[in-house]
Amino acid sequence: MMRNNYEQSAQSRLISRIQEIFPMNEEEVKVFSERIIVKHYLKGDTLISEGQTNDKAFFLIDGLVRQYTLKDGKDKTVFFYLENQMIRLLEKDSNQDKSSYYLECLENSTICVAYSRPDDEEFIKKYPRFQTLCLILMEDIFKQSQN
């Protein structure tokens, strides 16, 4: 897959961030990089809407993303994702594959779409060490939400 300079830069920033918390060898960087898609979103774009399939993990390179829900017709902000943060929506029911939330870009944003759940299971079987990375990233999200 041919990437432009901006996409390569975004991917490199993600890899650098991951390497800070989870050192990878050259082969691991290569297989991890092959799974990353860099996308650009405009302010106001929606990444996920309530009811859509929720099977992606994102990593926000540049921009600002808001997670919200609608309760009794009212918009309730749940969380703000800042640059260099992973975005992974967790549902109340772990078997639920439809989102209960919306993800909206509050600024023009560059986002790496890292994987989908079916791909993730296959990838972890092939490269079990990456399960540790998943746990580290989830712990990071938990810490950020508490802060």
Side-chain angles (χ1 to χ4, degrees):
M1 173 192 309
M2 214 45 175
R3 298 179 193 271
N4 66 36
N5 288 342
Y6 192 77
E7 289 171 339
Q8 287 176 339
S9 173
Q11 184 181 41
S12 293
R13 284 180 59 190
L14 172 59
I15 296 298
S16 293
R17 168 71 172 107
I18 298 298
Q19 290 275 44
E20 289 172 11
I21 59 174
F22 185 79
M24 295 183 281
N25 64 36
E26 281 185 46
E27 180 188 350
E28 290 170 331
V29 168
K30 182 181 182 300
V31 297
F32 186 78
S33 298
E34 290 171 352
R35 306 183 75 222
I36 298 168
I37 300 167
V38 177
K39 293 192 175 188
H40 306 283
Y41 296 89
L42 299 176
K43 178 180 178 177
D45 283 353
T46 302
L47 301 177
I48 291 182
S49 295
E50 181 179 16
Q52 281 187 317
T53 300
N54 175 15
D55 71 342
K56 298 272 189 280
F58 305 95
F59 191 86
L60 182 60
I61 298 295
D62 292 309
L64 177 64
V65 173
R66 175 176 78 117
Q67 178 182 344
Y68 70 96
T69 188
L70 296 177
K71 294 226 182 210
D72 301 322
K74 294 184 182 177
D75 177 321
K76 302 284 184 183
T77 297
V78 176
F79 198 75
F80 291 100
Y81 295 93
L82 309 174
E83 293 177 357
N84 293 316
Q85 286 186 319
M86 183 177 154
I87 303 171
R88 179 65 179 217
L89 297 180
L90 300 175
E91 301 300 329
K92 294 172 194 145
D93 177 359
S94 61
N95 293 322
Q96 183 177 341
D97 66 348
K98 303 292 182 193
S99 179
S100 302
Y101 303 99
Y102 294 84
L103 289 175
E104 171 191 28
C105 295
L106 297 181
E107 299 176 353
N108 291 346
S109 301
T110 302
I111 298 173
C112 293
V113 182
Y115 54 82
S116 65
R117 281 195 184 114
D119 290 340
D120 186 39
E121 291 172 10
E122 188 87 17
F123 185 74
I124 295 296
K125 283 180 187 171
K126 191 170 181 180
Y127 302 97
R129 189 170 111 76
F130 280 97
Q131 188 164 18
T132 302
L133 173 61
C134 295
L135 294 172
I136 291 168
L137 291 172
M138 293 307 294
E139 182 180 281
D140 192 43
I141 290 173
F142 184 67
K143 286 177 188 175
Q144 292 164 11
S145 70
Q146 287 185 331
N147 291 336

